[in-house]
Amino acid sequence: MSKPRLGFIGLGIMGRPMVRNLLKAGYEVTVWNRSEPGIAACVKEGARKAASPADVASKCDIVLSCVTDSPDVRQVYLGANGVIETIRPGMIAIDMSTISPAVAREVASALQAKGAKMLDAPVSGGEKGAIEATLSIMVGGDAETVASVTPILEALGKRIIHIGPNGMGQTVKLCNQIVGALNDLAMCEGLILAAKSGADVSKMVDAVSAGAAGSWAMSNLAPKILKRDFSPGFMVKLQQKDLRLVLDTAKELQIALPGTALVNQLFQSLEGKGCGDEGIQALVKALEQMDGAEVRG
Amino acid sequence: MSKPRLGFIGLGIMGRPMVRNLLKAGYEVTVWNRSEPGIAACVKEGARKAASPADVASKCDIVLSCVTDSPDVRQVYLGANGVIETIRPGMIAIDMSTISPAVAREVASALQAKGAKMLDAPVSGGEKGAIEATLSIMVGGDAETVASVTPILEALGKRIIHIGPNGMGQTVKLCNQIVGALNDLAMCEGLILAAKSGADVSKMVDAVSAGAAGSWAMSNLAPKILKRDFSPGFMVKLQQKDLRLVLDTAKELQIALPGTALVNQLFQSLEGKGCGDEGIQALVKALEQMDGAEVRG
Amino acid sequence: MSKPRLGFIGLGIMGRPMVRNLLKAGYEVTVWNRSEPGIAACVKEGARKAASPADVASKCDIVLSCVTDSPDVRQVYLGANGVIETIRPGMIAIDMSTISPAVAREVASALQAKGAKMLDAPVSGGEKGAIEATLSIMVGGDAETVASVTPILEALGKRIIHIGPNGMGQTVKLCNQIVGALNDLAMCEGLILAAKSGADVSKMVDAVSAGAAGSWAMSNLAPKILKRDFSPGFMVKLQQKDLRLVLDTAKELQIALPGTALVNQLFQSLEGKGCGDEGIQALVKALEQMDGAEVRG
Amino acid sequence: MSKPRLGFIGLGIMGRPMVRNLLKAGYEVTVWNRSEPGIAACVKEGARKAASPADVASKCDIVLSCVTDSPDVRQVYLGANGVIETIRPGMIAIDMSTISPAVAREVASALQAKGAKMLDAPVSGGEKGAIEATLSIMVGGDAETVASVTPILEALGKRIIHIGPNGMGQTVKLCNQIVGALNDLAMCEGLILAAKSGADVSKMVDAVSAGAAGSWAMSNLAPKILKRDFSPGFMVKLQQKDLRLVLDTAKELQIALPGTALVNQLFQSLEGKGCGDEGIQALVKALEQMDGAEVRG
């Protein structure tokens, strides 16, 4: 049985290495991006160029996308020259962006009216923007559709977790972003107390990582802080985009997330200092300024 | 060379299994506790009984202690019938309680005036109150003293980390407690959003644990919450005791720890509901009440 | 000199009594509302009915509006059958809604391109939804325009404060909403400590009101709480609408407002309990639930 | 009927002007202070000097005190050479310090065992440290005792409010301090948004003061900020002492006060910048630093 022809929309820091991995896995990939350089880079690696999202959909069997935010997903799927104009019954769309669960459901519903299926499939763990085999993919949609595209998803991430119906991939991604942001704050407040107390901070990181307060953040982000390395990883401004989605969802659900609201404000102060393009470990600088400390080790 | 004779003061949920491990490792251990039942239990396993902390010190070469809080440590070392009355030059005291770094330094200094050495050596990871080989011990004191008692500490914990001079074991333990408490809040806010959104929470835990938002808490405490198991592990009231030490230290250092202050207040509300003896995963109940949710999976 | 003919768009809880006051002051007023009942009520009191915002503008010299949120203002001014379609050079529009400062500037700019002037003129102090002479009006726009409509504004509020150029009325209104929301939290946390301590809460209110912790909220909202009167005044859901505008503005400015973010989350929890239509003094219920208390007096 | 002889213990920034007012009102006052200069100043104005708290009590009918904190009250009443050593049945002690309600009850109970009565009578409104007729006095104790000393209290404050039994004066004073601190935060967050938006901040203060977001803080502290006047009024470090009493009481009561905890941390950061001796309006500087703003007007 021959491989399905793939389309890919959105060739940014996440999308480009995804296309590379799909090409490596032997798929034919037709691509489109809002700006030309992303397209050129992918064409050089073997992808085919399309003129619009609609053109992508007309030239493939399965459309993937990875764009920035909810309005972008609406635009490339439902806007002028969007996927919806040419998608055919039986086709599948897989959106790997992190967006609002409500918008994920809305777009899935619009495609379903055309006889197509959609999955929301945001990814986690893409530190460094590099797509490595360690990515987790959280999938929302029907089980049969998920099963049918699993080989494709396995070319993009190591763990494919089918959470539930449409929107649930996004919901769990947002949960993930809450936890990541607050683990980051946890690490930073711990580091501040250590530094301000005159402790050997690298030994503190070593000791804490080993036990019941351990986290991915403590093991992976704290060592960067000790070297004053604030390069991203995962950018503050993208974390903030995701926390906005979280807080909008909490508003819809009418629930209080007081810790998330606090860390969102601290990151906002950090953006005001011009640190939006740094990695989320830069959160420590918001506390350092407040507390007159500097964490080194 | 024969093994040193050991003393042990404080035979509670932490101290008793420590004594057992020391006996198993072949040490002679003389014990004292504020109340009788703890003593009886240890004597049955082979320990010798002493009449007071001073009596313990008079009958051993190295004194260990594991009591609740700063005033208790002051009392058993410096109070009436305290260790200081009989400690001899060259002896070593190892306090494994979690207390104020300032009090750790004060007691160390008082013993030093008698020619003895002291180490602060709080432990982390003692979930279930059971002392297993996975305990980390964070040690403050001079390197030579640490080296001389390392075999004893290795009978009590898997990782022995010498952080720095007296008080630094306690400082890093407090950092650890900050991080643990906020990782707990991180997990709980993530779980609440998942539950309130109608997601399959166990799949959410699975997905988040695997990636950049992973933590010991998510892997170990969240599964308990899904089963509505709020048994301790680490009790809310002890977490609060430690957060009080943290906040007192932050006050001395004149630094702001806004996340820690928030989680401390949430735990306080939980204590008001009669949940002080539950495990720290019960924090989810403070959010559940606020948000009209229940996390199950 | 004869009075200018007025138009009024938006005949809700705020708009209707404003129209009444303008009619009482002797103005001819042509009105429009999204739904019929508001129009009928005003017509009964002497207003003339129009068929659309554009129709209002075509039949008057000065357009006033008081609708709910930024999109509503955009719609009635710039949308289909909007004011912009018929507004004439030299006309003035006065928007009394509370909306985003950025949208206020955007609409003002669009009208200016048609040769008209706009003022943003949100009001404060409209407790009970009744428009009394105690309303303050915070005005953004050019000084000459403000001067020319001051007699009209004086029919609607007691204090007319020209803050600065377009948008500044809205900006200061948002500042006002921050302060009001946090004064409300201040009052509620004080009441909770008093109640939980078993104090005579009415004496506490009396004592605090008199001194350096006094506020409008303590003098006016606390007595309602003591009688368990949660009728609005100013509704939780409208306070939340305004706090969303505040937090969106803080996001644009990249500043942290940690207290505002906290009280916004607490109100959100309150909305989840079905209290969105109650007055903002109901905030005490969010704390009462958290703290197992009830404030009565 | 002749006036009772008074004693006064604690001649600091609050105590000294109180003694002056009592002398002006025609009372004989015997004073004691921990350090000599306070005594000398009062003696110059007509007071008599005593050698200790016990000496004060032996030479008067009614003892007043105004010291810093709970341990100081315990010391001067119950310590060596304390009031308790010489107090006689039928005497009355009035403590005007702000301390823990629990300690107020403890000391009252100890004096009662000697046949004496005690009142806790903390004051509010003593901005500038000057004792003016605008002071409120919140009194805990039995009604008969309060009635018998009302003429004395009226020499010290304008409003005398009997709240309830012993400790209740302190409880309500703590409530007052919660409200004052959070009204201060409310004002500061409002000012920050205004300043960062480029608004005329003095007009914002004017507009907000007039309406439903008005407060003593907005009317009295905001104008100081606009002039960059951070002189006390009420010092940050004393506000923090009182917030510590509040948070300790909340801990005893097992209630969450999330706003109070937040503002306490922000003040702590301010103390770390060396602003502990400034007035509480300096809180704005903690936000200014976080948000890259400066409030002037």
Side-chain angles (χ1 to χ4, degrees):
Chain A
M1 197 183 108
S2 74
K3 282 185 147 73
R5 296 170 303 155
L6 306 183
F8 206 105
I9 296 164
L11 305 171
I13 199 171
M14 296 287 287
R16 231 174 290 177
M18 286 179 169
V19 169
R20 188 177 310 128
N21 283 344
L22 293 170
L23 291 167
K24 273 186 201 159
Y27 289 99
E28 179 194 310
V29 189
T30 302
V31 301
W32 182 82
N33 194 42
R34 220 164 25 177
S35 67
E36 193 59 34
I39 300 180
C42 290
V43 167
K44 193 175 292 177
E45 303 191 35
R48 296 166 187 218
K49 175 178 174 174
S52 67
D55 193 28
V56 170
S58 72
K59 291 173 172 161
C60 70
D61 306 307
I62 294 173
V63 183
L64 296 98
S65 56
C66 191
V67 295
T68 306
D69 207 346
S70 305
D72 307 304
V73 170
R74 261 210 204 97
Q75 181 63 31
V76 299
Y77 281 95
L78 310 183
N81 298 313
V83 167
I84 201 163
E85 295 185 0
T86 57
I87 201 163
R88 303 176 306 279
M91 279 182 65
I92 297 170
I94 306 171
D95 179 44
M96 311 192 76
S97 322
T98 296
I99 65 166
S100 148
V103 172
R105 282 189 293 267
E106 171 199 331
V107 176
S109 177
L111 296 190
Q112 192 147 8
K114 293 278 187 175
K117 294 281 189 176
M118 186 158 198
L119 301 176
D120 46 296
V123 300
S124 171
E127 282 284 320
K128 290 178 194 296
I131 297 308
E132 291 149 33
T134 57
L135 273 191
S136 291
I137 306 181
M138 304 161 189
V139 191
D142 69 74
E144 198 185 347
T145 306
V146 176
S148 72
V149 300
T150 295
I152 297 169
L153 294 176
E154 285 174 344
L156 298 174
K158 190 173 189 173
R159 301 197 68 218
I160 316 303
I161 304 167
H162 180 214
I163 310 287
N166 280 118
M168 283 301 171
Q170 297 298 351
T171 293
V172 166
K173 176 65 190 287
L174 296 188
C175 296
N176 190 77
Q177 299 310 79
I178 291 172
V179 181
L182 280 167
N183 284 352
D184 192 20
L185 180 62
M187 171 188 73
C188 290
E189 293 205 0
L191 289 171
I192 286 286
L193 189 73
K196 196 80 185 186
S197 297
D200 179 327
V201 186
S202 67
K203 287 187 178 161
M204 172 266 185
V205 172
D206 191 31
V208 175
S209 297
S215 66
W216 187 94
M218 186 58 80
S219 300
N220 292 275
L221 297 182
K224 288 187 178 186
I225 291 172
L226 300 196
K227 291 179 290 187
R228 308 304 289 175
D229 171 8
F230 297 109
S231 62
F234 187 53
M235 281 185 194
V236 167
K237 70 181 178 193
L238 294 177
Q239 174 70 270
Q240 285 289 77
K241 187 214 87 179
D242 291 355
L243 290 181
R244 182 182 53 67
L245 292 171
V246 166
L247 291 169
D248 286 351
T249 303
K251 182 174 172 293
E252 282 164 33
L253 296 170
Q254 300 189 314
I255 59 174
L257 298 176
T260 303
L262 173 64
V263 72
N264 171 247
Q265 293 295 311
L266 294 173
F267 274 125
Q268 212 152 273
S269 146
L270 201 60
E271 289 181 286
K273 313 282 182 224
C275 303
D277 289 337
E278 296 187 352
I280 59 168
Q281 69 273 23
L283 180 61
V284 77
K285 295 201 253 181
L287 293 168
E288 286 178 338
Q289 186 183 37
M290 198 183 288
D291 293 338
E294 193 177 75
V295 178
R296 284 190 176 278
Chain B
M1 197 181 108
S2 73
K3 282 182 145 74
R5 296 171 303 156
L6 306 183
F8 206 105
I9 295 164
L11 305 171
I13 199 170
M14 296 288 287
R16 231 175 289 176
M18 286 179 168
V19 168
R20 186 176 311 128
N21 282 344
L22 294 171
L23 291 167
K24 273 187 201 159
Y27 290 98
E28 177 192 311
V29 190
T30 302
V31 302
W32 182 83
N33 194 42
R34 221 163 24 175
S35 66
E36 193 58 34
I39 300 180
C42 289
V43 166
K44 191 175 291 177
E45 303 192 33
R48 300 166 184 217
K49 175 180 175 174
S52 69
D55 191 28
V56 170
S58 72
K59 290 172 174 162
C60 71
D61 306 307
I62 295 174
V63 183
L64 296 98
S65 57
C66 191
V67 294
T68 305
D69 207 346
S70 305
D72 308 304
V73 169
R74 262 211 203 94
Q75 181 63 30
V76 301
Y77 281 95
L78 310 183
N81 298 313
V83 167
I84 201 165
E85 294 184 1
T86 58
I87 201 165
R88 304 177 306 279
M91 277 180 67
I92 296 170
I94 306 172
D95 179 45
M96 311 192 78
S97 322
T98 296
I99 63 166
S100 147
V103 171
R105 283 189 292 267
E106 171 198 332
V107 175
S109 177
L111 297 191
Q112 190 147 11
K114 293 279 186 174
K117 294 283 190 178
M118 186 157 199
L119 301 176
D120 45 297
V123 299
S124 172
E127 282 284 319
K128 292 178 193 294
I131 297 308
E132 292 149 33
T134 56
L135 273 191
S136 290
I137 305 180
M138 305 162 190
V139 191
D142 70 72
E144 198 185 346
T145 306
V146 176
S148 73
V149 301
T150 295
I152 296 168
L153 294 176
E154 286 175 345
L156 298 174
K158 190 172 188 175
R159 300 197 69 218
I160 315 303
I161 305 166
H162 180 214
I163 310 286
N166 281 119
M168 283 301 170
Q170 296 297 352
T171 293
V172 166
K173 176 67 189 286
L174 295 188
C175 296
N176 189 77
Q177 300 308 79
I178 291 172
V179 181
L182 279 168
N183 285 352
D184 192 20
L185 179 62
M187 172 189 71
C188 291
E189 294 205 359
L191 289 172
I192 285 287
L193 189 72
K196 196 80 185 185
S197 297
D200 179 328
V201 186
S202 67
K203 287 188 178 159
M204 173 266 186
V205 171
D206 191 30
V208 174
S209 298
S215 66
W216 187 95
M218 186 58 79
S219 300
N220 292 274
L221 298 181
K224 288 187 177 186
I225 291 172
L226 299 196
K227 292 179 291 187
R228 307 305 288 175
D229 170 8
F230 297 112
S231 62
F234 187 53
M235 281 184 194
V236 167
K237 71 181 178 193
L238 295 177
Q239 174 70 270
Q240 285 289 76
K241 187 215 87 181
D242 291 355
L243 290 182
R244 182 184 50 70
L245 292 170
V246 166
L247 291 169
D248 287 350
T249 303
K251 184 174 172 291
E252 282 163 33
L253 295 171
Q254 300 188 316
I255 60 174
L257 297 176
T260 303
L262 173 64
V263 73
N264 171 247
Q265 293 295 311
L266 293 174
F267 275 125
Q268 211 152 273
S269 146
L270 202 60
E271 290 181 287
K273 313 283 181 224
C275 303
D277 289 337
E278 296 187 351
I280 61 168
Q281 70 272 24
L283 180 61
V284 79
K285 295 202 254 182
L287 293 168
E288 286 178 338
Q289 185 183 39
M290 198 184 286
D291 292 338
E294 192 178 73
V295 178
R296 284 189 178 278
Chain C
M1 197 182 109
S2 73
K3 281 183 147 73
R5 294 171 304 154
L6 306 183
F8 206 105
I9 296 165
L11 305 171
I13 199 169
M14 296 287 287
R16 231 175 290 177
M18 286 179 170
V19 169
R20 187 177 310 130
N21 283 344
L22 293 170
L23 290 167
K24 273 187 204 160
Y27 290 96
E28 177 193 312
V29 189
T30 302
V31 302
W32 181 83
N33 193 43
R34 222 164 21 177
S35 66
E36 194 59 34
I39 300 180
C42 289
V43 166
K44 192 175 293 178
E45 303 192 34
R48 300 166 184 217
K49 175 180 175 174
S52 68
D55 192 28
V56 170
S58 73
K59 292 173 172 161
C60 70
D61 305 308
I62 295 174
V63 183
L64 296 98
S65 56
C66 190
V67 294
T68 306
D69 207 346
S70 306
D72 307 306
V73 170
R74 261 210 204 95
Q75 181 64 32
V76 300
Y77 281 95
L78 310 182
N81 299 312
V83 168
I84 201 163
E85 294 185 2
T86 58
I87 200 164
R88 303 176 306 280
M91 279 181 66
I92 297 170
I94 307 171
D95 179 44
M96 310 192 78
S97 321
T98 296
I99 64 166
S100 146
V103 172
R105 283 189 291 268
E106 171 198 332
V107 176
S109 177
L111 296 191
Q112 191 147 11
K114 293 277 187 175
K117 294 282 190 177
M118 186 158 198
L119 301 177
D120 45 296
V123 300
S124 172
E127 281 284 320
K128 291 179 195 292
I131 297 308
E132 291 149 34
T134 57
L135 274 190
S136 290
I137 306 181
M138 305 162 189
V139 190
D142 69 74
E144 197 185 347
T145 306
V146 176
S148 72
V149 300
T150 294
I152 297 168
L153 295 176
E154 284 174 345
L156 298 174
K158 190 172 188 175
R159 300 195 70 219
I160 316 302
I161 304 166
H162 180 214
I163 311 286
N166 279 119
M168 282 302 169
Q170 297 297 350
T171 293
V172 166
K173 176 67 189 286
L174 295 188
C175 296
N176 189 77
Q177 299 310 78
I178 290 173
V179 181
L182 280 168
N183 285 353
D184 192 22
L185 180 62
M187 172 189 71
C188 291
E189 294 205 359
L191 289 172
I192 286 286
L193 190 73
K196 196 80 186 185
S197 297
D200 179 327
V201 186
S202 67
K203 288 188 177 159
M204 173 266 186
V205 172
D206 191 32
V208 174
S209 297
S215 66
W216 187 95
M218 186 58 80
S219 300
N220 292 276
L221 298 181
K224 289 187 176 186
I225 292 172
L226 300 197
K227 292 179 290 187
R228 307 305 287 175
D229 170 8
F230 297 110
S231 63
F234 187 54
M235 283 185 193
V236 167
K237 70 181 177 192
L238 294 178
Q239 174 70 271
Q240 285 289 76
K241 187 215 87 179
D242 291 354
L243 291 181
R244 181 184 51 69
L245 292 171
V246 166
L247 291 169
D248 286 350
T249 303
K251 183 174 171 291
E252 281 163 33
L253 296 171
Q254 300 190 315
I255 60 174
L257 298 176
T260 303
L262 174 64
V263 73
N264 171 247
Q265 294 296 309
L266 294 174
F267 275 124
Q268 213 153 270
S269 146
L270 201 61
E271 290 182 286
K273 312 284 181 224
C275 303
D277 289 337
E278 297 187 351
I280 61 168
Q281 70 273 23
L283 180 61
V284 77
K285 295 201 253 182
L287 293 167
E288 285 178 338
Q289 185 182 39
M290 198 184 286
D291 293 337
E294 192 178 73
V295 178
R296 283 190 178 277
Chain D
M1 197 181 107
S2 74
K3 282 183 147 70
R5 295 171 303 154
L6 306 183
F8 207 105
I9 296 165
L11 305 171
I13 198 170
M14 295 287 288
R16 229 175 289 177
M18 286 179 169
V19 169
R20 186 176 311 128
N21 283 343
L22 293 170
L23 290 168
K24 275 187 200 159
Y27 290 97
E28 177 193 311
V29 190
T30 301
V31 301
W32 182 82
N33 193 43
R34 219 162 29 176
S35 66
E36 193 58 36
I39 300 180
C42 289
V43 167
K44 191 174 294 177
E45 303 192 33
R48 299 166 185 216
K49 174 179 176 176
S52 69
D55 193 28
V56 169
S58 72
K59 291 174 173 160
C60 70
D61 306 306
I62 294 174
V63 183
L64 295 99
S65 56
C66 191
V67 295
T68 306
D69 207 346
S70 304
D72 307 305
V73 170
R74 263 212 202 93
Q75 181 63 32
V76 299
Y77 280 95
L78 310 182
N81 299 312
V83 166
I84 201 164
E85 294 185 0
T86 58
I87 201 163
R88 303 175 307 279
M91 278 181 67
I92 296 170
I94 306 170
D95 179 44
M96 310 193 78
S97 322
T98 296
I99 65 166
S100 148
V103 172
R105 283 188 292 268
E106 171 198 332
V107 176
S109 178
L111 296 191
Q112 190 146 11
K114 293 279 187 175
K117 295 283 189 175
M118 186 157 198
L119 301 175
D120 45 297
V123 299
S124 172
E127 282 285 318
K128 292 178 194 294
I131 296 308
E132 293 149 32
T134 57
L135 272 191
S136 290
I137 306 182
M138 304 162 191
V139 191
D142 69 74
E144 198 186 347
T145 306
V146 175
S148 72
V149 300
T150 294
I152 297 168
L153 294 176
E154 285 175 345
L156 298 173
K158 188 172 190 176
R159 299 196 68 220
I160 316 302
I161 304 166
H162 180 214
I163 310 286
N166 280 118
M168 282 301 169
Q170 296 299 350
T171 293
V172 166
K173 175 66 190 286
L174 296 188
C175 296
N176 190 76
Q177 299 308 79
I178 290 172
V179 181
L182 280 167
N183 284 352
D184 192 21
L185 180 62
M187 171 190 72
C188 290
E189 293 205 1
L191 289 171
I192 286 286
L193 189 73
K196 196 78 184 188
S197 297
D200 179 327
V201 186
S202 67
K203 288 189 178 159
M204 172 265 185
V205 171
D206 191 31
V208 174
S209 297
S215 66
W216 187 96
M218 186 58 79
S219 300
N220 292 275
L221 298 181
K224 288 188 176 184
I225 291 172
L226 299 197
K227 291 180 290 187
R228 307 305 288 174
D229 171 6
F230 297 109
S231 62
F234 187 54
M235 280 186 195
V236 167
K237 69 182 179 193
L238 294 177
Q239 174 70 269
Q240 286 288 78
K241 187 214 89 179
D242 292 354
L243 290 182
R244 183 183 50 68
L245 292 170
V246 166
L247 292 169
D248 286 351
T249 302
K251 183 174 172 292
E252 282 164 32
L253 296 170
Q254 300 189 314
I255 60 173
L257 298 176
T260 304
L262 173 64
V263 71
N264 171 248
Q265 294 295 310
L266 293 174
F267 275 125
Q268 213 152 271
S269 147
L270 202 61
E271 290 182 287
K273 312 282 182 225
C275 304
D277 289 338
E278 296 187 352
I280 61 167
Q281 70 272 24
L283 180 61
V284 77
K285 295 201 252 180
L287 292 167
E288 285 178 338
Q289 185 182 40
M290 198 183 286
D291 292 338
E294 193 177 74
V295 178
R296 284 188 178 277

